[in-house]
Each structure stands twice: as structure tokens, then as C-alpha cells.
Amino acid sequence: MAEQKKGYFHIIREKYCKGCGICIAFCPKQLLVLKNGKVFPERPEICIGCHMCEYRCPDFAIEVKPIVEETNNSADVEGLDYSLPPEAHHA
Amino acid sequence: MPEIVKLMQGNEACTMGALAAGLEFYAGYPITPSTEIAEMCSEELPKVGGRFIQMEDEIGSIAACIGASLTGKKSMTATSGPGFSLMQESIGYASLCEIPVVIINVQRMGPSTGMPTSPAQQDLMQARWGTHGDHAIIALAPGNVKECFELTFKAFLLSEKYRVPVIVLTDEVIGHMREKVVMPDPRTYKIPVRAMPVTPAGYKPYEADPDGGVPLMAPFGKGYRWHCTGLFHDEKGAPSGKASVAEALLHRLERKIEKNKAELVDYFAESLDDCDVAVVSFGSSAMAALSAVRKARAQGLKAGMLRIKTVWPFPDEAVRELTKTAHTIIVPEMNQGQMALEVERVVHGKAKVVKLGKVNGDLFRPEEVFEVLKEAF
Amino acid sequence: MAEVLDYFRKERLPSIWCPGCGHGTVTGALIRAIDKLGLDKNNIVMVSGIGCSSRAVGYLDFDTLHTTHGRAIAFATGVKLAKPNLKVIVMTGDGDCAAIGGNHFIHAARRNIDITTIVMNNNIYGMTSGQYSPTTPHGMLGTTAPYGNVEYAFDLCELAKAAGATYVARATSYHVTLLEELIEKALQNKGFSVVEAMTQCPTYFGRKNKIGGAVELLNWIKDGTINVKAAAALPPEKREGKILIGELHRSERPEYTASYLEMTSKVQRTYNDYKGGNRGCELNSD
């Protein structure tokens, strides 16, 4: 399958994001912002796909994916289950 | 193959019992007077494809045993007082996580380093309550060398069946004493086999009847991918801080032992039916006590003997029965009265309990017990 | 390549870790390394002790063993010796590994048993709220070092190397790609491998020492470290006070379980007529 990269998009798992700001601070393009305490890709079109936000995120809340023509992006995002409960205790 | 007859010491008999039960993994640390068990395991296990490791301490030893047990191997460690103290935390872990493991404690004089080459029975209460928190445990106390074989074998049966750590409480004298042991034809052994789940699909590692059920244990590395944690956990094995989950788990663990007490209780009884004075004892103290009881009977005194083999859970019923005829119960033991406390609890004033403790590193002599016995009539 | 989250027990996320804690970052690097190597999920056993870092295994979809404080490596030794075909990985913290578990750590290294140990070093006891640990730098603050730490820190990598580990490396939660790469190499080493992952505790270490939050701590870690390859080209005065990261040690030595099995098969050949009873080991054997 000939895939042509058309930039990148970001999967944000808001349920997992704790708003620590690591991804925002170390993004080389400064394209992420904090919105209502959660990360938000404000200018995804300038993303260079270095994955540093994804790799440094301690909570698996952000993922960078290349946009490929055959891919239906929205399905990817909607396929995730956000309804999962958080671990209800702290020992 | 016929039965095997051999002159051997208690520590050897414990090892033979373990090997007969299918011991596959031993981790230990040298300590007097248990060392022969480690030495023998290091020699015998490689011959049958088993594993032996000398760990850096007793904490590591019990930990390695639990780790091996999680892969489905029958595991055992042996130690004495100081090492037994070090193992306590992980014994609690095995109890809460329901991991089968056998611990042999060849008791010696304590506290602390004490008298390493002298016998004692001072770890009776520690075997029950040594680790922190309420917990399920089984402890067996052989009264002679032959029973070292039998009860170590049985320890594996119970440990695998109830998924509980089982402690075998011997002592320096039984461990080092040599006696003739008749071991049954190996083909007649009912080798303990751990109950295992059939398929990983829908497997819940701690799913069991809330009233004392035993969950099925999946070995690591077989695709079950379960979580084993010393935190209170729900039936899926997930850590939980919920009061209801914690209560249900501890209740089930307690019931696991309580409910099956009838099967677990094991003792030796002689001349109890009409006895006026009963002697309750265990381990090597009971040897002298039995001689004293027989001497008393020979002189027409109605004495009886109850030697407890399963010390935990304590055989409440058997001891309570004694009060039907006996007005006095004498408890000879090589400590300052630990079993006597249990006897007092059970008889609840219905008979006089005489504590006969000995803590000088010497064995009881039959005459010592006989003198006290005679006085009691 | 599978999705990283496929390796997680997703129903247990999000984790209990504080916002900005680096333990998740290290866990992510480990998972990517496992995925890259294509290791079989069913063949991996993850073992941990007690502490913030040790909670990691509970979120991962392997056979996982969350043990007692400091004993992870001892439990792992039992697992590995019992079933040498399993890939055994220990996730531990600086207190769990170097203080209460120090003895097991050095002896596992001495045996060169095939266990990969990831030490998440955040220089502090996080779970119990910020006491100084064996890796808290001299002079820094902890709740039990209110006037500055009087003691000196362990260099965990030097310790592992001296004790006999055959693969020793260090990276940080800032240098994530390096971390992933080193863990990947550690997983491939047949022997005792140690990867020290320097990580941040913003809640206690950063706050108590007035360094700041997660971002400031990551910068502090970045500034305090230097790659071992780059350091080689620098004059000593420029390396002073910097912690080396990268692959620090690699050596060849027989692995413990392999040696043990070799001995066992030799013994068995000698005693193949051994009749110690009807064993039934085959029921549970590998």
C-alpha cells in the first residue's frame, strides 16, 4: 500500500491526561496547549512527528500518528474507550 | 517396589517426605539445626531435575520459593528461629496471595541467637501469629522421625489443596535424632497435584466460594497473565481499597481453614477414655510425656495422652473432650507455656491446667513429667 | 507494531501516579522496547517490590507479581530458576532496590541470573511522602533530611557493575529514546542487566528541594547528565559533577540458570538410575 504522509494528528486520551505539562514544555514546535487542564493540539498542522510528547507522557494520554490517505482518522479516535473507570484507590 | 526401611534422622526424613511429595524447588540459607535439609536437597534435587538455590538470606529464600511456586513448582524452604523470624513478612504474603509453600522450622532455643544446638518449642505462637495481620496458616508438629516424613508429605498435600503456607514445626532433637523409618511403597503415594484452571478465557485468579472456597491457581507463563499482589485484591486480582473487598477476602481466608478443620485436625491419643489426668503435648516433649503416662497407667493411675500433630488450627474439640473425664490437664512443652495458653482458652475453667514449661535447652525426662502427673491425682 | 496500550490492563488506567511523575514514562519506554523485540506477552513475568515505581506492573498485561518491599529480585530469582524459559523483568525503585533490597540486587548481579532490572531512580521515597533514599544526593532535602542529606548517594550503575552485572546502562525520563534503546539492549543480554532510569518526583523531590514541577525537574536532570560518549571527548573539568548516561558496562560471563541446568543434566546422566520414589515432576515440568 503506497502511503503518503500528509502530516500528523494527535490522539488525546483526556481521561488519562493529568495536565502535568511535560508534553507542552518539550514540544519542539510548541504546538500543544493546556485547555481545561488537559492537553490540546492547537496547531497540529505544524507537527514534525518527533513523538517526544508521546514518549515523555507519563500517562499514555497522547499519541502522534501520521495522516495517511487511506486512513479514516476519526474512526481511530472514536474507537478508543473513554468510559473506563479510574483506579478508585490510592495505597 | 516394596516399602523402604531406613535409619535416618528427622531432617533427612523431612527431606525424603518432601521429595516423595514431588518437591521441585528448594531455596534456603544455612542455619543450625536445619542445615542437613538444605544439604540433602542440594544433592538430591538435581538428580530429579529439580532446582536448589542457596539464597543470600532467609528473606530471599522464602521469596524465591514463592516465586517458584507461582510457576507451578512445589517449593520448600527450611530454617530455624532467627531465619524463621526473617521469613515472617513473606509468609504473610503467601497467605494473602494464596501461594502454596512449605516451611520447615527446626526449632532451637531462643530468643535471638539463643542456643543454636539446643531444642525448644518456643516458635509455636510465632508459627501462628508471626506475620502481621490476621491470616490463614497451617502448622504441623511431628512427634518422631517417621512423622517428619509423613507430616512433611502431608504439608505439601494441604499447601497445594488449600493454597496456604504450611509450617512444619520440628525441633533440634527430632531433627537430629535417628530412628528407623518405614516409608511406604513409592507407588502408593498420592502425590499432591495443584488444581489448575482449564482455560485463560475469563480466568479470575481469586474467584471462589465466598465461604472458604479455594480459587484455581494458574501457573505463570501459561497465558493467563494475572496479577498477584500483596495489596488487598478483588477476585480479578486487581488491588482494591474497598472495605467490602477487604472484608470478604479476609473472611474467605479464615473460613478456608475453619471450614475444613475436621480434615485438618490430626493428633495421637492414648488412654483418654477414662483418664482423670490428661497430658497434652507435641513434638519431642510428647515422647517423654507418653512414657510418663504409660508408667502411670502401669501403676494404676488413670492418665491419658493427647499428642497434637496439627498444632494450627488448634484441635479445640479434642482438647475440650478431655474435660469430660479429666479434672487436670498437664501441658509439658519446651517453652514457658505457649500451648498451655491455648488449652486454657479451650477448657475455659472446666479443668485445671498445669503449665509444665522447660526452657533450659534440655529435653524433658519421663520422670520429670511423671512426678507432676502423680501429684495431680 | 502493536499499540502501546495493548500491553496494558486498560481498565486499571489512569495510574495512581501523581501528575508529572516519570514512572509512566519509563514504563512506556519499556513497553516500546518489548514491542520492538516482539517478545511474547505470555512468556514475560514482571516482578516488582513496593513503592510508587513498583505499582507499574499492576497496569501491565503480563503475568505480574507485586511483592514485598525490597524483595522483587529475590522473587524473580525463584521464578527464573523455576522456569528459565520465561523472560523475567523486575521494575523497582531506588529505595526498593538499593536500600531494603540492596542485598538481593548485588547477589543477583553476582550470580548473573538472566533478569532485566529497571530501577526507577527518583532520588526519594515517594510513596511514604519524601524521605531521603540511598540515592538522594548529599546536601539535598527530604522530609527526613530537613537540614540537608548528611549521607552520600550510591551510584547504582557502579554498584551493579562491581557486583558482576553483565549489562549496565543509565538513561533518564528526559532522554526517552535513549532509555528505550538501552532497555532493548538490556532485554537482549543473557545475564543480569540493570538499566537505571533517572526519573522525576515533582510532588516530593522537586517541591521539597524547590526545583519546581515536572518540567523543571526534567530540565534539572537534563543539565545534570552527560552522555558517556560525549563525555569521553571532554576534559575532566567539564565532566565534573555530571552523571553519565548511556551504555556503561557490558561483559560476558556464564549465566546462572544455564550453568545450573548444565550441572543438573550432568548429574542426571550420572544418576539416571536414581529411584527416589515416584516423582510426578513431569506434571509441572517445563
Side-chain angles (χ1 to χ4, degrees):
Chain A
M1 184 168 64
E3 294 181 350
Q4 184 146 25
K5 283 183 185 169
K6 296 263 182 187
Y8 298 88
F9 70 99
H10 303 78
I11 298 172
I12 308 292
R13 301 183 186 96
E14 287 204 1
K15 203 125 204 162
Y16 294 176
C17 178
K18 293 169 186 166
C20 70
I22 292 176
C23 55
I24 297 165
F26 294 106
C27 172
K29 302 300 277 184
Q30 293 291 299
L31 66 89
L32 303 166
V33 294
L34 214 55
K35 217 176 196 179
N36 299 323
K38 308 281 177 185
V39 61
F40 179 75
E42 205 175 43
R43 291 186 294 157
E45 66 281 0
I46 62 166
C47 177
I48 55 168
C50 71
H51 292 273
M52 281 301 127
C53 56
E54 177 185 333
Y55 295 171
R56 288 209 183 96
C57 174
D59 293 294
F60 323 103
I62 184 165
E63 223 172 287
V64 183
K65 295 264 182 195
I67 300 169
V68 276
E69 279 181 343
E70 288 85 352
T71 314
N72 182 350
N73 306 333
S74 60
D76 264 359
V77 185
E78 279 162 15
L80 294 162
D81 185 2
Y82 296 122
S83 64
L84 300 165
E87 192 171 299
H89 67 286
H90 196 300
Chain B
M1 203 188 296
E3 53 187 30
I4 301 166
V5 185
K6 227 187 142 192
L7 179 73
M8 61 171 91
Q9 57 168 217
N11 284 345
E12 216 179 327
C14 282
T15 316
M16 291 301 281
L19 288 166
L23 177 71
E24 294 163 288
F25 189 96
Y26 181 100
Y29 187 81
I31 185 167
T32 304
S34 76
T35 315
E36 291 84 358
I37 300 175
E39 287 171 349
M40 203 174 156
C41 284
S42 73
E43 194 177 333
E44 297 302 322
L45 279 171
K47 294 180 191 172
V48 292
R51 315 282 149 84
F52 168 91
I53 185 170
Q54 185 168 305
M55 291 296 286
E56 46 276 9
D57 56 27
E58 286 89 347
I59 304 174
S61 303
I62 179 98
C65 283
I66 295 170
S69 183
L70 277 159
T71 70
K73 305 271 186 200
K74 289 190 198 91
S75 309
M76 176 177 91
T77 184
T79 188
S80 186
F84 193 54
S85 294
L86 287 178
M87 288 182 184
Q88 292 303 329
E89 187 191 10
S90 291
I91 291 175
Y93 181 86
S95 182
L96 182 75
C97 297
E98 300 177 71
I99 303 166
V101 63
V102 172
I103 303 118
I104 296 178
N105 176 5
V106 188
Q107 297 171 92
R108 71 187 216 188
M109 276 286 287
S112 190
T113 311
M115 291 159 77
T117 54
S118 298
Q121 297 176 313
Q122 298 171 340
D123 304 345
L124 178 69
M125 283 296 174
Q126 192 190 16
R128 179 65 194 91
W129 299 113
T131 194
H132 60 281
D134 282 357
H135 61 278
I137 204 100
I138 295 171
L140 311 175
N144 52 51
V145 175
K146 181 169 174 273
E147 277 181 14
C148 285
F149 178 88
E150 291 168 356
L151 294 190
T152 307
F153 188 94
K154 189 177 177 183
F156 279 91
L157 275 177
L158 299 178
S159 184
E160 297 290 334
K161 183 169 178 185
Y162 297 111
R163 288 186 63 176
V164 67
V166 177
I167 294 155
V168 180
L169 275 180
T170 73
D171 59 61
E172 192 275 331
V173 161
I174 291 186
H176 286 156
M177 182 170 66
R178 284 186 162 78
E179 280 184 339
K180 182 176 105 174
V181 176
V182 182
M183 290 178 289
D185 181 344
R187 285 170 303 189
T188 65
Y189 297 158
K190 200 170 157 272
I191 305 237
V193 179
R194 192 180 298 174
M196 288 187 197
V198 191
T199 166
Y203 174 63
K204 289 180 187 163
Y206 292 101
E207 187 180 32
D209 173 6
D211 187 42
V214 183
L216 294 171
M217 186 165 175
F220 275 7
K222 296 276 184 208
Y224 288 84
R225 300 203 301 269
W226 62 285
H227 185 51
C228 179
T229 176
L231 287 164
F232 275 86
H233 41 261
D234 60 21
E235 58 178 17
K236 286 181 190 157
S240 172
K242 275 189 200 155
S244 58
V245 170
E247 195 175 7
L249 178 55
L250 262 194
H251 174 76
R252 183 171 62 76
L253 294 182
E254 191 247 336
R255 287 291 297 155
K256 198 164 74 168
I257 304 300
E258 264 320 291
K259 202 170 104 175
N260 300 298
K261 214 167 158 176
E263 190 200 329
L264 296 171
V265 161
D266 191 5
Y267 51 80
F268 165 89
E270 187 173 302
S271 320
L272 287 179
D273 291 344
D274 61 344
C275 71
D276 293 329
V277 178
V279 179
V280 174
S281 191
F282 67 109
S284 56
S285 299
M287 290 192 261
L290 183 60
S291 300
V293 166
R294 284 176 180 166
K295 188 173 170 188
R297 278 278 167 181
Q299 296 185 10
L301 297 169
K302 285 185 176 171
M305 177 76 208
L306 179 72
R307 177 165 64 80
I308 298 173
K309 294 206 251 176
T310 299
V311 287
W312 303 114
F314 195 72
D316 290 14
E317 284 307 313
V319 173
R320 201 173 291 126
E321 280 284 301
L322 301 177
T323 60
K324 283 188 178 164
T325 60
H327 54 74
T328 304
I329 298 174
I330 300 167
V331 190
E333 52 187 329
M334 285 187 284
N335 59 50
Q336 289 175 322
Q338 296 187 17
M339 184 170 273
L341 284 174
E342 280 298 291
V343 175
E344 273 175 349
R345 172 184 67 77
V346 172
V347 305
H348 205 66
K350 290 204 181 94
K352 187 183 166 198
V353 177
V354 179
K355 287 183 182 178
L356 184 54
K358 189 164 184 177
V359 285
N360 60 2
D362 275 347
L363 271 181
F364 274 102
R365 284 179 197 85
E367 314 85 73
E368 278 177 85
V369 185
F370 181 71
E371 285 307 312
V372 180
L373 189 55
K374 208 168 64 180
E375 298 256 309
F377 283 93
Chain C
M1 185 169 161
E3 297 286 335
V4 164
L5 277 186
D6 290 346
Y7 291 88
F8 283 79
R9 295 175 173 133
K10 287 194 274 284
E11 72 278 9
R12 296 189 193 166
L13 290 173
S15 69
I16 61 158
W17 294 316
C18 303
C21 166
H23 293 336
T25 311
V26 180
T27 308
L30 171 63
I31 291 303
R32 287 194 303 277
I34 287 172
D35 184 62
K36 219 162 155 187
L37 291 171
L39 301 178
D40 179 6
K41 255 183 175 184
N42 293 333
N43 205 40
I44 294 174
V45 178
M46 290 267 186
V47 190
S48 70
I50 293 294
C52 297
S53 57
S54 293
R55 294 302 286 264
V57 301
Y59 304 113
L60 299 175
D61 187 23
F62 305 104
D63 278 320
T64 50
L65 180 54
H66 180 219
T67 68
T68 48
H69 196 20
R71 316 300 165 204
I73 293 173
F75 279 81
T77 300
V79 172
K80 183 69 191 179
L81 180 57
K83 287 243 165 128
N85 63 324
L86 293 174
K87 187 84 207 156
V88 181
I89 301 166
V90 169
M91 298 183 85
T92 178
D94 46 319
D96 193 52
C97 173
I100 188 165
N103 203 22
H104 308 303
F105 181 65
I106 56 172
H107 285 278
R110 175 179 62 78
R111 289 185 189 107
N112 193 31
I113 186 166
D114 186 19
I115 294 171
T116 308
T117 302
I118 315 291
V119 190
M120 299 180 214
N121 177 8
N122 59 6
N123 311 102
I124 207 145
Y125 285 91
M127 191 66 94
T128 48
S129 69
Q131 296 75 26
Y132 75 93
S133 87
T135 59
T136 302
H138 178 72
M140 297 206 75
L141 302 172
T143 52
T144 46
Y147 308 111
N149 186 13
V150 179
E151 302 174 21
Y152 288 85
F154 260 141
D155 181 328
L156 291 178
C157 290
E158 286 296 325
L159 180 66
K161 183 181 156 189
T166 46
Y167 185 89
V168 181
R170 185 190 284 125
T172 79
S173 52
Y174 176 83
H175 305 91
V176 270
T177 42
L178 175 70
L179 180 62
E180 183 187 324
E181 186 191 310
L182 295 174
I183 292 175
E184 196 189 323
K185 283 186 186 158
L187 287 169
Q188 286 171 289
N189 176 51
K190 182 102 178 115
F192 192 69
S193 318
V194 178
V195 177
E196 178 186 349
M198 294 173 64
T199 168
Q200 72 278 12
C201 173
T203 305
Y204 294 111
F205 190 78
R207 197 169 55 175
K208 189 84 193 166
N209 286 290
K210 301 199 166 48
I211 297 172
V215 173
E216 291 76 18
L217 271 169
L218 279 170
N219 280 319
W220 180 77
I221 288 172
K222 181 181 74 171
D223 296 340
T225 51
I226 184 165
N227 193 293
V228 65
K229 286 178 195 156
L234 288 176
E237 64 271 17
K238 291 216 167 160
R239 282 183 280 166
E240 212 185 304
K242 299 262 189 190
I243 297 168
L244 295 176
I245 56 171
E247 189 180 298
L248 303 176
H249 173 73
R250 189 192 263 277
S251 59
E252 286 288 327
R253 212 150 61 80
E255 192 271 329
Y256 170 74
T257 56
S259 303
Y260 190 88
L261 291 187
E262 201 183 306
M263 177 271 283
T264 306
S265 55
K266 252 187 232 164
V267 171
Q268 277 183 300
R269 275 199 298 278
T270 317
Y271 292 88
N272 58 0
D273 58 344
Y274 175 73
K275 290 180 183 71
N278 173 11
R279 296 294 318 284
C281 263
E282 68 277 7
L283 289 169
N284 291 321
S285 63
D286 303 333

